[in-house]
Amino acid sequence: MPVLSIDEVTKRYPSVVAVDDVSFDVADGEFVSILGPSGSGKSTILRMIAGFETPTEGTIRIDGDRVDQLPPFERDVNMVFQNLALFPHLTVSENIEFGLKESGVPKAERKTRVEEMLEIVELTGYGDRASDELSGGEQQRVALARALVNRPKIVLFDEPLASLDRKLRQHMQKELQRIQNETGITFLYVTHDQEVALAVSDRMVLLNEGQIQQAGTAEEIYDRPSSEFVADFIGDVNAIPATVDSVDDDSMAVSVSGSPYTLSKIRTPDGNAVDAGDDVTLGVRPHEVDVRVPENGTAASFDGTVTNRVYTGEGTTYTIDTPVVEFTADVENAAFEIDDEVSVVWSDATVHVFPRGS
Ligand code: ADP
């Protein structure tokens, strides 16, 4: 049985549908991210799970029991906020112990559990420090310890690392994964940052305008994006506008800027068949694109001019201006200079075909 079941949940505010018929499950011990641009409904979903908001429609279950009408303290979940909300006048230990005290856990056990938590978040010896004397990263650890200490079924995170600098954020991402592994507690993590979601989670639920666009592992979503939006949000994509001329069982003839181009392999998202006459977008990932000296007669290619090159450490990212679109190409070689005339080339098998504007 999933530890969390969100079933056909909608949240309507007077002026906006913040969450629109959302359903997903989270398995016990999973680390799942809810990812999407600002305003896509991520925090509203989290707040409904925590009990700070009530769904307009739909049900939320934890371990099979319906919780969507229960007050927050009757739900076996804790939340870690971006502004950590530690009690500044309490010590580190007192902050962590607070919830246990409230729920009547005896003193000796409280002490053992707090020590255990300090060890897990690597703050052994910090117990007597004032919490307002800690660094940002240390405060994060205390907030996490406080959310874990009463062993909830699920810990909810609302962009807790967004305010940290890049290096500390990356370090805390690794720490979160380690701590989640060690405790086995289910983590549900909200972020607008695809890099964070890719780094920390087993699985992602990708939202836009209150609706789930796609759910799956990073690989599944990256390899088989369900729409133009998803392809662009998870990784980059070169989006080439085209019109479908004809479709066979395993090939498709399209026109790009009036020029014919035949795709011998078709990759369209599941359940999204395209027909002759449709406007589509051909999506090609920057690392699937090669840059060569101009060659005539290659079907899948555009001629253009190099307008930018950036050395990335692993290779070079070129920007190439063509009459159709501006291409981004991540390649290993660095043979070309700005203003060089080149051909942008890719293999049919790498092209995704999306309904235009999907
Ligand atoms: P995200 O977390 O993805 O940035 P939110 O869940 O905060 O998105 O918001 C989703 C939409 O719901 C936004 O359009 C936001 O303005 C709206 N919204 C959120 N909370 C409220 C509220 N309490 N009252 C009215 N509208 C709200």
Side-chain angles (χ1 to χ4, degrees):
M1 187 202 303
V3 69
L4 175 69
S5 269
I6 310 282
D7 199 19
E8 297 180 357
V9 166
T10 291
K11 178 67 183 180
R12 263 184 228 108
Y13 291 113
S15 58
V16 69
V17 183
V19 175
D20 188 2
D21 195 19
V22 160
S23 302
F24 67 92
D25 286 348
V26 177
D28 196 15
E30 247 191 324
F31 195 148
V32 172
S33 296
I34 302 181
L35 175 67
S38 178
S40 57
K42 307 181 295 292
S43 303
T44 304
I45 292 178
L46 219 58
R47 290 203 305 270
M48 287 191 287
I49 299 167
F52 306 132
E53 296 280 359
T54 311
T56 316
E57 284 165 32
T59 56
I60 299 176
R61 289 188 161 78
I62 293 175
D63 260 357
D65 297 326
R66 200 165 160 180
V67 299
D68 45 83
Q69 305 299 321
L70 297 180
F73 60 88
E74 286 184 28
R75 304 183 187 200
D76 202 357
V77 303
N78 285 334
M79 190 143 158
V80 179
F81 297 91
Q82 188 176 341
N83 60 351
L84 302 163
L86 295 180
F87 303 114
H89 55 285
L90 298 186
T91 65
V92 168
S93 286
E94 286 165 347
N95 260 288
I96 299 173
E97 193 186 10
F98 188 83
L100 296 177
K101 223 170 168 174
E102 293 280 289
S103 50
V105 175
K107 191 166 184 191
E109 191 184 339
R110 291 202 308 259
K111 196 164 184 311
T112 317
R113 288 231 226 150
V114 168
E115 282 306 317
E116 243 174 51
M117 284 321 309
L118 286 171
E119 197 181 322
I120 286 180
V121 300
E122 293 183 339
L123 285 179
T124 304
Y126 280 64
D128 294 332
R129 292 245 197 135
S131 49
D132 57 0
E133 286 169 13
L134 302 176
S135 73
E138 288 161 356
Q139 289 186 22
Q140 292 281 352
R141 289 164 194 270
V142 178
L144 186 57
R146 199 175 54 173
L148 292 166
V149 72
N150 64 345
R151 298 173 190 150
K153 283 264 180 299
I154 309 167
V155 178
L156 308 170
F157 296 88
D158 195 359
E159 306 240 21
L161 307 183
S163 60
L164 301 182
D165 69 53
R166 186 183 165 84
K167 212 160 174 195
L168 187 53
R169 186 165 66 237
Q170 285 172 341
H171 181 66
M172 285 304 294
Q173 287 167 11
K174 290 211 186 82
E175 286 291 285
L176 275 183
Q177 281 181 306
R178 176 185 63 78
I179 290 164
Q180 200 258 343
N181 264 327
E182 275 179 30
T183 59
I185 293 176
T186 306
F187 280 13
L188 189 59
Y189 191 100
V190 155
T191 179
H192 67 281
D193 185 339
Q194 53 136 330
E195 252 183 64
V196 176
L198 290 168
V200 298
S201 46
D202 302 324
R203 210 154 55 84
M204 296 187 284
V205 175
L206 181 53
L207 281 185
N208 192 32
E209 295 181 350
Q211 295 181 334
I212 295 184
Q213 302 296 305
Q214 195 165 359
T217 64
E219 292 79 12
E220 280 165 3
I221 296 181
Y222 187 83
D223 290 342
R224 298 191 58 79
S226 64
S227 67
E228 217 177 314
F229 170 85
V230 173
D232 193 42
F233 203 82
I234 304 294
D236 292 322
V237 73
N238 291 295
I240 307 158
T243 308
V244 179
D245 296 325
S246 64
V247 186
D248 285 335
D249 282 350
D250 52 7
S251 78
M252 182 185 293
V254 299
S255 295
V256 179
S257 269
S259 303
Y261 167 39
T262 302
L263 283 162
S264 56
K265 288 210 174 80
I266 311 175
R267 286 213 290 182
T268 53
D270 296 339
N272 241 334
V274 294
D275 294 315
D278 286 355
D279 286 334
V280 293
T281 299
L282 310 181
V284 190
R285 300 281 190 196
H287 75 268
E288 309 276 18
V289 174
D290 200 10
V291 183
R292 302 196 189 147
V293 290
E295 41 188 293
N296 291 325
T298 307
S301 83
F302 287 110
D303 293 338
T305 310
V306 176
T307 57
N308 197 18
R309 54 175 288 194
V310 177
Y311 179 64
T312 60
E314 283 126 41
T316 305
T317 299
Y318 286 107
T319 308
I320 296 142
D321 197 22
T322 79
V324 183
V325 286
E326 185 173 78
F327 273 90
T328 304
D330 292 332
V331 298
E332 278 178 20
N333 68 49
F336 301 102
E337 303 292 338
I338 288 174
D339 289 337
D340 278 358
E341 299 294 317
V342 294
S343 280
V344 184
V345 183
W346 61 88
S347 141
D348 273 7
T350 66
V351 179
H352 300 270
V353 183
F354 302 113
R356 183 94 53 89
S358 65

